[in-house]
């Protein structure tokens, strides 16, 4: 079982930046695609970004592309989500997830999920 633990969420003003971290418990972390998803009250879970096991490939949701950057440090079993120029619509609970056999923006293709970290963007 892969355990994922997100951190870094907090309150931030519009235009600000945050870096979220996802720490994994598995020594085979480099074999997993890791994705970030977010969900706000009353809305469906939304794909944010994903990164392949080696970090070679990345994909972003259209609403965050050019503002967010996903990266990973396999030696430390960490994935990061650097978020810039944040807007109120970026608020929500951010989840990281790991997929064994997919590089996807579809949440159901991810096998393991963290509990999420809350991001609030407000003036």
């Amino acid at each position: 079982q892969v355990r994922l633990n997100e951190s870094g969420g907090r309150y931030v003003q519009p235009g600000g930046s945050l870096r979220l971290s996802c720490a994994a418990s598995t020594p085979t972390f480099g074999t997993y695609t890791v994705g970030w998803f977010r969900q706000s009250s009353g809305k469906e879970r939304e794909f944010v970004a994903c990164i392949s096991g080696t970090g070679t490939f990345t994909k972003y949701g259209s609403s965050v592309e050019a503002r967010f950057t996903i990266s990973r440090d396999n030696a430390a079993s960490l994935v990061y989500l650097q978020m810039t120029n944040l807007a109120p619509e970026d608020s929500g609970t951010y989840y990281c997830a790991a997929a064994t056999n997919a590089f996807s923006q579809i949440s159901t293709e991810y096998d393991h999920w963290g509990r999420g970290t809350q991001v609030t963007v407000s003036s």
Side-chain angles (χ1 to χ4, degrees):
Q1 181 72 13
V2 177
R3 289 191 297 273
L4 302 171
N5 185 38
E6 304 93 335
S7 62
R10 61 176 174 85
Y11 167 86
V12 63
Q13 292 190 336
S17 299
L18 275 180
R19 189 178 79 163
L20 305 183
S21 299
C22 173
S25 62
T26 175
T28 60
F29 181 63
T31 65
Y32 292 87
T33 288
V34 175
W36 284 97
F37 294 80
R38 67 186 182 188
Q39 189 167 21
S40 56
S41 180
K43 295 186 177 180
E44 292 188 356
R45 190 164 294 187
E46 177 188 7
F47 170 76
V48 175
C50 66
I51 186 167
S52 61
T54 59
T56 303
F57 302 104
T58 58
K59 183 184 297 185
Y60 294 92
S62 58
S63 63
V64 307
E65 197 157 17
R67 297 188 298 125
F68 291 12
T69 303
I70 189 170
S71 62
R72 68 189 298 159
D73 178 351
N74 284 344
S77 298
L78 288 166
V79 169
Y80 302 104
L81 184 69
Q82 180 67 48
M83 307 186 293
T84 63
N85 195 22
L86 285 161
E89 51 266 35
D90 294 314
S91 298
T93 302
Y94 281 69
Y95 301 91
C96 70
T100 307
N101 294 309
F103 178 72
S104 173
Q105 61 189 57
I106 301 173
S107 61
T108 54
E109 296 193 0
Y110 287 79
D111 309 294
H112 310 282
W113 290 82
R115 294 188 174 184
T117 186
Q118 181 67 35
V119 173
T120 303
V121 185
S122 175
S123 55

